[in-house]
Amino acid sequence: FRDYDEHLMFEAYNEVDNTYKSRLCTPIAAAQMNELNQLFVDVVRSTGGNNEKRILQIQTFLSSWSITAVESFEAPTDMYPDKLIAQVHIYPSFWDEKFEETLDLFDKFTERTGLPIVVGEFSITAKTYPTVYKYTLVSNFIARAKAHNVVVYYWDNNSDRHFRVSRLEIFK
């Protein structure tokens, strides 16, 4: 892909986990994730062509938005400024009452690391909230994230029981 233009971005990994203590962001797991992110940046940059200056998305441990994962994240060194974006995924069991708290954490993350943050996946399930509330909750989160300059992508697996929401309804 090195000859593709700047419209192509690469994402390093998807939800890298701790094999010894699954879903637990230990100091060792966080350090390994940071090392993997640096390796990803170095390898892509070394391939030349447009990959030298391509935007790269790197993730926190398990793509988690937890305080531990976000605070243990270290931005990789990159020879090209402003070409890295951090990515997290959000599948919370709460919504409205903690929107601002979560987005404030992202603001602090960006201040500390110098990297913008994108929510590469977010969604709600029917078992968490009745379908009737999905549109309001999703729309509220999108609007609040936008106010914090955070880009979000809704995860929709086309299942009534899980994450499906009509995109046309959300963006009316």
Side-chain angles (χ1 to χ4, degrees):
F1 295 104
R2 70 185 195 158
D3 295 326
Y4 281 65
D5 70 13
E6 72 283 356
H7 292 95
L8 176 65
M9 292 187 285
F10 291 147
E11 176 182 339
Y13 313 99
N14 186 52
E15 299 181 2
V16 174
D17 198 358
N18 179 345
T19 60
Y20 296 104
K21 296 183 180 179
S22 184
R23 307 198 72 79
L24 183 62
C25 186
T26 65
I28 292 172
Q32 290 171 335
M33 188 71 233
N34 290 329
E35 186 178 338
L36 280 172
N37 283 332
Q38 185 64 61
L39 181 63
F40 170 72
V41 171
D42 293 345
V43 167
V44 171
R45 297 294 184 233
S46 72
T47 61
N50 290 328
N51 289 342
E52 289 180 350
K53 297 180 183 177
R54 185 171 313 290
I55 293 175
L56 305 177
Q57 291 190 34
I58 51 181
Q59 297 185 359
T60 62
F61 171 79
L62 202 59
S63 308
S64 175
W65 59 279
S66 73
I67 292 173
T68 303
V70 169
E71 289 183 351
S72 64
F73 177 93
E74 294 176 10
T77 303
D78 190 12
M79 61 179 50
Y80 297 100
D82 304 321
K83 296 295 183 182
L84 300 179
I85 299 172
Q87 184 183 134
V88 298
H89 300 169
I90 299 179
Y91 292 94
S93 57
F94 65 84
W95 273 91
D96 263 339
E97 69 274 10
K98 291 199 177 184
F99 277 156
E100 288 304 317
E101 183 179 313
T102 299
L103 293 167
D104 287 344
L105 176 65
F106 294 168
D107 289 342
K108 290 176 186 167
F109 173 90
T110 296
E111 288 172 18
R112 179 178 65 81
T113 65
L115 301 181
I117 195 163
V118 63
V119 177
E121 297 177 14
F122 86 96
S123 192
I124 57 175
T125 65
K127 65 183 178 184
T128 305
Y129 287 99
T131 301
V132 68
Y133 297 118
K134 280 185 179 182
Y135 303 115
T136 302
L137 293 170
V138 169
S139 296
N140 285 347
F141 185 68
I142 291 169
R144 288 180 179 172
K146 185 176 179 181
H148 286 260
N149 295 313
V150 174
V151 173
V152 299
Y153 296 91
Y154 187 81
W155 181 258
D156 182 343
N157 69 351
N158 201 31
S159 168
D160 284 331
R161 292 180 304 137
H162 292 102
F163 307 117
R164 184 170 65 188
V165 172
S166 168
R167 288 177 181 89
L168 296 176
E169 291 296 319
I170 294 171
F171 299 107
K172 278 186 178 178

